Amino acid sequence: MNTQEHLNQLTEIKSLMERSSRCLSLSGLSGVAAGSVAILCGSYAWWYIGNGTFASPVTVTNHFLALPVNSQTFLHLLMVAAFTLVFAIGSAFFFTWQNSQKKGLKIWDASTKNFLINLFLPLIAGGLFSLALIYHGELYLLASATLVFYGLALLNASRYTHKEIRYLGISEIILGLVSMYFIGYGILFWLVGFGLLHIVYGLLMYAKHEKV
């Protein structure tokens, strides 16, 4: 064998090892879809809290903080958040399944299992923490807490998928920490974190790993 053949074999071995240890079927289009619906639903929540107007972020935040947790408005916003989450999970599954079919990859294997376990453990912790904030009436920390815990979940799971997920996680954590010093602008940070960043990193992933 010549040197080039050895290099080709090493490249193939490296590719096989990467496929066996990483969830490479994760599609960037799922991030674009999730980010788009997050912006739409977040904008609707902004409009809804503002009584049919896009009031200033500080005004919207003050209205939100004054809501009783058992009010119809608060429960409606929880339903909007639940819809956003379900759509994001559904789009992630659909586009990832589509990508796996195109690349001839298994959608469920050990790497997918490891990715989901490492993703959902911090997410569940963050969800319970957010429920505790709601229970104690500390609503002003919700935007920051959800961004930070989501970032931690992405960072924790990033070792099992594309490296762009690591950078997305770090970006979410930084954004969440910064938002703690600008409480009145939580809705804007939420839209940037769950909307814009998803779209940007989703497009980067699609251009690098999926676009032919």
Side-chain angles (χ1 to χ4, degrees):
M1 288 187 181
N2 57 36
T3 304
Q4 186 59 45
E5 289 176 330
H6 281 297
L7 290 174
N8 291 339
Q9 283 192 348
L10 289 173
T11 301
E12 185 176 350
I13 292 172
K14 181 181 178 181
S15 177
L16 288 172
M17 291 178 65
E18 189 177 45
R19 286 192 177 198
S20 65
S21 62
R22 290 177 177 267
C23 179
L24 300 180
S25 57
L26 185 65
S27 174
L29 292 179
S30 61
V32 175
S36 299
V37 78
I39 289 178
L40 288 174
C41 291
S43 298
Y44 168 75
W46 188 340
W47 175 85
Y48 185 77
I49 298 172
N51 296 318
T53 63
F54 287 101
S56 70
V58 175
T59 301
V60 169
T61 300
N62 289 334
H63 286 172
F64 177 71
L65 296 180
L67 290 175
V69 295
N70 60 346
S71 67
Q72 183 177 357
T73 300
F74 189 82
L75 294 177
H76 181 74
L77 292 173
L78 283 182
M79 291 179 63
V80 172
F83 170 80
T84 306
L85 178 62
V86 170
F87 184 90
I89 293 175
S91 63
F93 175 81
F94 173 76
F95 286 112
T96 297
W97 173 81
Q98 195 176 54
N99 191 36
S100 66
Q101 294 296 305
K102 183 171 66 174
K103 292 183 176 180
L105 299 172
K106 291 182 179 179
I107 194 171
W108 182 260
D109 54 20
S111 61
T112 307
K113 179 181 177 181
N114 288 330
F115 172 77
L116 291 177
I117 290 174
N118 283 271
L119 178 70
F120 276 102
L121 283 177
L123 280 183
I124 292 171
L128 294 175
F129 183 80
S130 297
L131 288 176
L133 290 177
I134 294 172
Y135 178 79
H136 291 290
E138 306 292 342
L139 302 181
Y140 63 94
L141 288 175
L142 269 181
S144 303
T146 51
L147 286 169
V148 169
F149 274 101
Y150 181 59
L152 290 172
L154 293 176
L155 188 61
N156 195 47
S158 63
R159 75 188 77 172
Y160 298 106
T161 188
H162 302 297
K163 64 180 181 180
E164 287 82 6
I165 296 298
R166 174 181 177 84
Y167 301 130
L168 174 58
I170 294 173
S171 300
E172 299 281 3
I173 293 171
I174 293 173
L175 193 66
L177 293 175
V178 171
S179 72
M180 296 181 72
Y181 296 93
F182 301 92
I183 296 299
Y185 296 87
I187 185 69
L188 286 180
F189 282 99
W190 197 92
L191 286 171
V192 172
F194 291 105
L196 184 60
L197 286 182
H198 268 142
I199 294 174
V200 170
Y201 278 96
L203 289 174
L204 288 174
M205 285 178 58
Y206 178 77
K208 184 174 180 180
H209 304 289
E210 298 172 59
K211 190 176 182 180
V212 178

